[in-house]
Amino acid sequence: DYYAILMAGGVGSRFWPVSTQDFPKQFHDMLGTGDTLIQKTFNRLASLIPEENIFILTNERYNDLVYRQLPSVTKRQVVLEPAMRNTAPCILYASLKIHKENPDAVMIVAPSDHWIEDENAFTQNVRQAFEYCSNNDALMTLGITPTFPNTGYGYIEYDKDSTSNIKSVNQFREKPNYDTAKSFLSQGNFLWNAGIFMWSAKTVISVFQKNQPELYQLFEAGISVYNTENEYDFISNNYGKAENISVDYAIMEKSKNVYVIPATFDWNDLGTWGSLYDKLEKDNTGNAVVNAKTLTTDASGNMIRTKHNKVVVVDGLEDYIIVDKDEVLLIFPKTKEQDIKKVLQSVKDKF
Ligand code: GDD
Ligand code: MG
């Protein structure tokens, strides 16, 4: 049977001021479509997987947001983390729970905040992966053709000689430095990791057991209480002891049985205001506008968003992020968008 693990515990700090610790980007309608990112992701997965088998992994503090935005999910489907420990601990924990419920489970692990253009192509790729992982001991990834040496992604080197659509992977390298990323791009047989994984519960658990024995022992010790009323106590006493490590470093870089399907859909991980700008429709002067009525003169390339559909007048400004929310107004050049994370740290005590 097919399951999904939807990861929704990140903070999205580069989308400040819209995304905040209390209300991160996956719970916002970043694209202006009427659905929040987590709702869009849930619906996308629901076309592949029975709704009751979609599990949401998130921090305790987002409990209410999950139930409000996904009213059909039950307590069984919401896996709460009492501490932020990145993706490896929560994936192992949820996989053990799912495996206990259904030892034959095959699952997709997906971020809750990505943009995927062609949902049919996505569905096809995942179906193929599911079939393969049902019959093979495989860690399956989806690979995106890289366009520049982005150091924020994982890189997947696939077997050049493979003629099949499912390619075996020579190496998985998480967030290489710039020079390494550049050399990867020039070699031609590297793809970006989309951050979406498929595998059987059985396979991923044994891979954790082999490569992260401490993490495995920590969570395996609770197996008898999972899916019972005593689970909460075990997790609140133990989750914080887990190492803070992402699934990419914890198992993907270390495993031999990694495979990749080159994605046939357009993908964007919506990591920054600029990447959101790229995916939104532009007005006739080239500005992307969400939730605002704009009057622009001699202004293009701007990402404009307000909270209450404000009138925004912009003259003589190019390639800026203009975002207004309650007590904060951000006017920031797109070229420096990575610095928003740092700016947030230095202004935190001002509001
Ligand atoms: N439940 C939960 N708990 N979710 C988390 C946690 C956590 O502690 N930390 C992060 N997440 C969620 C984020 O909300 C996001 O949806 C997803 O897990 C991935 O985390 P990121 O922090 O966004 O990872 P990344 O962007 O640095 O790198 C990953 O994604 C890239 C593609 O976007 C890696 O898989 C890279 O290899 C990949 O290229
Ligand atoms: Mg990310």
Side-chain angles (χ1 to χ4, degrees), residues 14 25 113-114 153 269 271:
R14 284 171 302 179
K25 69 168 170 180
D113 47 7
H114 286 177
Y153 293 155
D269 79 336

Side-chain angles (χ1 to χ4, degrees), residues 102-254:
N102 184 342
D104 295 323
V106 170
M107 64 177 94
I108 176 172
V109 176
S112 52
D113 47 7
H114 286 177
W115 176 91
I116 283 166
E117 163 91 290
D118 183 347
E119 310 242 326
N120 286 331
F122 169 78
T123 306
Q124 265 179 20
N125 289 166
V126 177
R127 283 225 171 93
Q128 196 188 9
F130 273 170
E131 211 179 289
Y132 194 80
C133 296
S134 303
N135 304 311
N136 297 277
D137 208 13
L139 303 176
M140 187 67 73
T141 58
L142 295 174
I144 309 292
T145 306
T147 49
F148 68 104
N150 190 324
T151 54
Y153 293 155
Y155 285 72
I156 297 170
E157 182 190 0
Y158 62 87
D159 175 9
K160 273 195 193 114
D161 302 327
S162 164
T163 49
S164 149
N165 181 39
I166 296 180
K167 301 185 184 307
S168 69
V169 169
N170 300 337
Q171 65 160 327
F172 182 108
R173 273 288 287 285
E174 179 65 4
K175 299 188 175 59
N177 65 30
Y178 184 80
D179 289 340
T180 310
K182 238 173 107 171
S183 83
F184 284 171
L185 247 71
S186 69
Q187 291 175 55
N189 59 328
F190 280 80
L191 297 167
W192 282 337
N193 171 34
I196 299 167
F197 308 98
M198 285 123 317
W199 44 51
S200 67
K202 207 169 55 204
T203 294
V204 73
I205 290 169
S206 72
V207 165
F208 268 107
Q209 183 172 16
K210 179 159 174 249
N211 295 299
Q212 297 294 331
E214 275 179 40
L215 204 57
Y216 173 80
Q217 276 151 26
L218 180 73
F219 287 109
E220 220 275 331
I223 196 80
S224 64
V225 299
Y226 291 159
N227 308 339
T228 73
E229 274 166 19
N230 298 324
E231 176 174 344
Y232 180 79
D233 287 339
F234 175 80
I235 285 301
S236 39
N237 290 328
N238 290 287
Y239 198 90
K241 297 178 195 161
E243 185 186 349
N244 189 324
I245 184 168
S246 82
V247 67
D248 317 281
Y249 290 114
I251 60 170
M252 298 311 291
E253 277 198 338
K254 297 191 158 74

Side-chain angles (χ1 to χ4, degrees), residues 17 51 53 89 107 121 165 181 195 199 208 230 238 287 289 298 301 308 328 343:
E51 274 197 30
N53 285 355
M107 64 177 94
N165 181 39
W199 44 51
F208 268 107
N230 298 324
N238 290 287
N287 299 292
V289 182
D298 190 21
H308 298 296
V328 181
V343 170

Side-chain angles (χ1 to χ4, degrees), residues 53-87:
N53 285 355
I54 304 179
F55 285 65
I56 322 290
L57 277 55
T58 193
N59 193 271
E60 278 183 349
R61 57 145 68 113
Y62 308 133
N63 192 22
D64 292 347
L65 281 170
V66 169
Y67 289 115
R68 217 183 311 150
Q69 298 198 359
L70 304 172
S72 69
V73 305
T74 63
K75 216 173 147 199
R76 172 184 143 269
Q77 290 162 267
V78 183
V79 180
L80 297 175
E81 303 150 35
M84 292 226 180
R85 288 294 181 272
N86 214 320
T87 51

Side-chain angles (χ1 to χ4, degrees), residues 249-268:
Y249 290 114
I251 60 170
M252 298 311 291
E253 277 198 338
K254 297 191 158 74
S255 303
K256 296 263 175 285
N257 48 337
V258 180
Y259 295 82
V260 64
I261 295 178
T264 53
F265 53 86
D266 213 4
W267 167 94
N268 183 307

